[in-house]
């Protein structure tokens, strides 16, 4: 490993993690804050990542029979009133449209005019309006299941925002299904969690803990909420996807009824499940290092950048020709069924050029100078290795093995994250030890982790820990074994460990 | 041709065109009105069409170097004030967000709270905010060109709405590019019009007239607006896409400056171009008949539906097996590089089943009964032919020629629309004849057409015709030849015919 004098990102993770995150995003040119409070501009490099996420997940959804649809941006105020629990959940902080016109005021400035009879809410979710549609579309068991998904923008007013992690407007998908039987709806709930798990682990290279939310962390109105939780490099948890079994609660409030095969009327059994651009924040905080973002190859906007190097003018044409022909040869190769995505960067910006791509997190950088060309080689750097570590590789080998190299990076990223998660997941039985782990020695230090500890099941204990330490039960992991123990809070009997952590 | 007793859609086009359109959309299950004023719910069959449109156009954009990005849903009020012309164009009718919270009022109802210091506008276009970003991103000629596109929802408050054609919220793409030279920006303006032309003609099977807008029909702030205009079956025009060369006007108002190679500061040259879900309305009104929608195969959500027919119980299993194996064989075949999209409909709804698919406009219906199976045949109906006209085709022939059959339908649709447009495009030199053509004999009758007539170039004549007849100059067609004549309005000299029509 070549020792670097300096990192591309300042501060480093250890120095100031939240500021490091901000700088990483900025340096990657993925997104930036917009002049509109709490909203972000997703720049081409970030949006291309989102497009890859969308197209992959969308294909997975469709493979399970899901169809996409689109529902209105606005929700009538009365819809939120219908669902008391919903209002508690979302409507407190949301964008309210009260007028439908602008007029020039006395000073020539524009003022809102055309007051609406009933204010409209910019959707914080489309749940209520999708429920209303399902109600109209369902009369017989033959109309079920209804298997819908929507890719859209939603708005939840946020006072303190962080790009990708918490913004007033974000992009997401929300799935909503209605079924004739409880068993089918429960199966769908788990099926979609499985899709999320597979996508997040295999594509974003983020290992997750799968489990069930406690009653207090459950989605409002849900009978059962299952989730995947990932560990960020500051050892906090980030929920990367949730799937809800809503029983008949949602059907009751939205009036989704059907006549069953015995001609009896029943409420449908429904599910909902969602993921958002927040996943991108999670991906960054899982893999990025002190030199910037690291894109997992399977979702990377581009797989490789070719960097022609020709200091002498007489070399330039030849090197560029060689570079273009290499790009053409790579672009017809595939990686997991997709074409290899190649960028050529022939800017004349010296050393800053390679660093730009390191900060963007492109998996591979291939330098091509006159000597490489003579040897029919490229000088290859991998983003999962130190910036200074580069190897010379014959052109033909590079072309023929690029998919293997990319898979090696993909696996390396996953395994690194898995090792980090394992190292920082511990069982604790002692209350003081538990408190100490979650108490910062100083403001900036990274502390905490995933703690598997016993919990008696009482909401009071859960609330006390949250109050005292800002630590929540992220989930009751599916794989946590039955085991006798004492609640980490009250000492009462417990039959199973649950996952405690601080969270985003 | 088998004579039909009755059409699936009532009223027919001839009886009541606007109502026919509404019924066609409803019967197709593509979209429906939502409980939110002026907004539509795009149902899976309609949204799948939109997805095909998006993915095709998006690929075409990217082939020309365009990259996608995403900008905030909200626009600060002050941004609209900056651009006086803009305000005239869009801001009059738009959704205004004035509050960011809901609180329970005295009667328990929710009331808006948390008044914003500055109201936000739900984007009617992202032009101003993209301009602001381009301004920040541009300092040197090396930063140019910037080639951006956004797929998003936009809102323009509409009092009278029609699904797909005019809704308060719609989905669209808006492209914005900035260039160092006028020539490059002008070239981009035409390049994108070419993309639109190719997409609309080759995929939506809608023949178009390409031309230039007159000054009064130009986009506010544009130096030149070029467009494609299509003819609907009521002989009205529908603008299917526009591309604008904005000169340096937009750069001036958004402050997009760059230092050129000679270190001098200049304003950039910009373009913008857009299409929307309105195209779907145009596609429907071009091809649909009195039995419902007709989907051009190249964008159809599905290419073929297999309809197993087994009246006797002992046949059911065998027929379904045969059907599934046929579906599998078809699904690995390709049509213009995409997999053949197959639906199986095994509902037990009798004759209504095939009619459902006719109304949805699927290109091919293949019935499979016990006798077809014995003969290893399918009984095939094409959506571009009468519903009763079906032919028996050997299974292998069907599998091997489905791409040819689909192309034949695609071409047939285009040629039919082209013939209709030609029949209804006439040259008129007599003012009375012009008036008569555009004056309805009675309320419901379909009249008018595309009229190529001389125009002196005066805005007054254009305005008078618009005022008197609701007829506008759709464009100055690129291919209208130089020819001496007299203005259809004032009789003054004219050197070229322009395209007059009523329009959506
Ligand atoms: Zn306890
Ligand atoms: Zn005139």
């Amino acid at each position: 490993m070549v020792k670097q004098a300096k990192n591309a990102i300042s501060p480093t993770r250890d120095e100031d993690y939240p500021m490091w995150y901000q700088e990483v995003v900025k340096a990657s040119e993925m997104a930036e804050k917009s002049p509109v409070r709490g909203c972000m501009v997703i720049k081409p490099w970030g949006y291309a990542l989102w497009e890859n996420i969308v197209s992959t997940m969308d294909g997975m959804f469709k493979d399970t029979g899901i169809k996409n649809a689109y529902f209105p941006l606005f929700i009538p105020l009365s819809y939120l009133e219908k669902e008391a629990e919903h209002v508690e959940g979302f409507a407190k902080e949301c964008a309210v449209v009260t007028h439908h016109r602008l007029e020039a005021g006395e000073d020539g400035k524009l003022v809102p005019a055309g007051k609406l009879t009933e204010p409209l809410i910019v959707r914080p979710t489309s749940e209520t309006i999708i429920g209303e549609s399902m109600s109209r579309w369902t009369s017989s068991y033959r109309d079920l299941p209804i298997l819908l998904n929507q890719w859209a923008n939603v708005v939840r007013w946020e006072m303190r925002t962080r790009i990708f992690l918490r913004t007033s407007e974000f992009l997401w998908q929300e799935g909503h299904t209605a079924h004739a039987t409880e068993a089918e709806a429960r199966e769908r709930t788990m099926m979609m969690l499985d899709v999320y798990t597979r996508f997040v682990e295999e594509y974003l290279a983020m290992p997750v803990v799968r489990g069930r939310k406690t009653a207090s962390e459950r989605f409002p109105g849900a009978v059962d909420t299952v989730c995947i939780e990932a560990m960020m490099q500051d050892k906090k948890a980030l929920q990367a996807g949730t799937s809800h079994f809503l029983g008949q609660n949602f059907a009751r409030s939205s009036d989704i009824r059907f006549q069953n095969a015995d001609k009896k009327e029943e409420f449908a059994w429904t599910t909902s499940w969602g993921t958002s651009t927040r996943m991108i924040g999670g991906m960054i905080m899982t893999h990025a290092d002190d030199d910037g973002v690291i894109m997992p190859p399977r979702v990377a906007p581009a797989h490789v950048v070719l960097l022609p190097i020709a200091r002498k003018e007489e070399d330039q044409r030849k090197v560029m020709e060689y570079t273009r022909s290499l790009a053409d040869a790579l672009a017809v190769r595939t990686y997991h069924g997709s074409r290899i995505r190649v960028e050529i960067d022939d800017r004349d910006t010296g050393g800053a050029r390679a660093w730009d791509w390191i900060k963007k997190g492109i998996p591979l950088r291939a330098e091509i100078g006159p000597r490489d060309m003579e040897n029919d080689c490229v000088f290859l750097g991998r983003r999962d290795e130190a910036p200074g570590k580069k190897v010379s590789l014959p052109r033909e080998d590079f072309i023929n093995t690029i998919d293997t190299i990319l898979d090696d990076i993909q696996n390396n990223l996953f395994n690194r994250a898995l090792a980090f998660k394992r190292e920082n997941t511990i069982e604790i039985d002692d209350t003081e030890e538990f408190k100490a782990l979650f108490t910062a020695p100083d403001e900036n230090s990274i502390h905490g982790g995933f703690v598997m500890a016993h919990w008696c099941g009482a909401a009071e204990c859960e609330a006390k820990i949250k109050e005292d330490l800002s630590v929540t039960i992220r989930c009751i992991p599916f794989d946590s074994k039955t085991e006798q123990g004492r609640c980490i809070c009250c000492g009462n009997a417990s039959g199973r460990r649950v996952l405690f952590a601080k969270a985003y």
Side-chain angles (χ1 to χ4, degrees), chain A residues 454-462 465 486-494:
Chain A
H454 276 282
W455 171 56
C456 65
E460 295 72 28
C461 290
E462 192 182 5
I465 290 170
R486 299 267 153 211
C487 175
I488 195 78
C489 182
C490 70
N492 284 347
S494 152

Side-chain angles (χ1 to χ4, degrees), chain A residues 68-320:
Chain A
N68 288 331
Y70 187 79
F71 294 84
L73 174 66
F74 300 123
I75 312 282
L77 187 63
S78 56
Y79 276 54
L80 296 185
E81 282 166 349
K82 268 196 273 185
E83 287 192 77
E85 279 187 295
H86 219 97
V87 172
E88 283 310 305
F90 292 125
K92 276 180 189 157
E93 298 293 341
C94 58
V96 188
V97 177
T98 55
H99 296 73
H100 68 80
R101 191 183 304 149
L102 290 175
E103 284 177 6
E106 285 178 18
D107 54 356
K109 296 245 175 208
L110 294 173
V111 291
K115 195 174 178 189
L116 300 176
T117 323
E118 183 188 3
L120 296 171
I121 309 308
V122 179
R123 61 181 167 217
T125 143
S126 291
E127 191 178 32
T128 54
I129 205 144
I130 291 177
E132 190 272 342
S133 296
M134 283 185 169
S135 164
R136 281 184 295 107
W137 298 344
T138 308
S139 58
S140 152
Y141 68 96
R142 288 192 191 85
D143 301 320
L144 298 175
I146 297 177
L147 308 173
L148 293 180
N149 177 62
Q150 173 175 260
W151 291 99
N153 54 342
V154 288
V155 171
R156 297 175 191 179
W157 209 264
E158 295 284 355
M159 285 305 165
R160 291 173 53 195
T161 58
R162 298 180 73 184
I163 289 186
F164 291 129
L165 293 172
R166 191 172 52 233
T167 49
S168 289
E169 181 193 16
F170 56 93
L171 305 182
W172 83 337
Q173 62 70 214
E174 55 182 307
H176 297 271
T177 68
H179 307 264
T181 67
E182 173 175 2
E184 201 181 291
R186 284 195 182 272
E187 187 192 0
R188 175 58 65 173
T189 307
M190 287 309 299
M191 190 191 297
M192 299 322 289
L193 190 76
D194 290 347
V195 167
Y196 288 162
T197 305
R198 198 146 54 83
F199 176 74
V200 170
E201 295 206 324
E202 291 178 16
Y203 287 79
L204 299 181
M206 294 164 61
V208 296
V209 177
R210 292 156 53 86
R212 174 162 283 116
K213 288 288 185 193
T214 63
S216 75
E217 296 283 332
R218 224 178 262 153
F219 181 70
V223 171
D224 192 13
T225 290
V226 291
C227 63
I228 49 176
E229 299 281 330
M231 183 187 282
M232 305 296 99
Q233 290 179 77
D234 61 355
K235 305 179 195 170
K236 285 190 189 169
L238 182 133
Q239 179 179 293
T242 46
S243 184
H244 314 289
F245 168 65
L246 305 167
Q248 292 175 305
N249 295 344
F250 181 66
R252 221 170 259 121
S253 70
S254 292
D255 197 29
I256 309 171
R257 279 172 293 137
F258 70 98
Q259 206 172 50
N260 67 21
D262 302 329
K263 309 258 183 210
K264 277 194 190 139
E265 198 160 74
E266 284 187 59
F267 284 110
W269 301 83
T270 72
T271 80
S272 73
W273 26 278
T275 55
S276 73
T277 35
R278 201 162 195 251
M279 277 190 297
I280 295 178
M283 185 209 86
I284 294 170
M285 287 201 296
T286 300
H287 304 301
D289 62 15
D290 295 333
D291 293 321
V293 163
I294 302 184
M295 294 276 185
R298 295 203 64 180
V299 290
H303 295 119
V304 55
V305 60
L306 307 185
L307 303 167
I309 298 172
R311 286 190 187 81
K312 295 182 208 149
E313 205 161 320
E314 66 262 33
D315 292 334
Q316 279 176 2
R317 199 183 48 81
K318 273 198 289 183
V319 170
M320 264 314 287

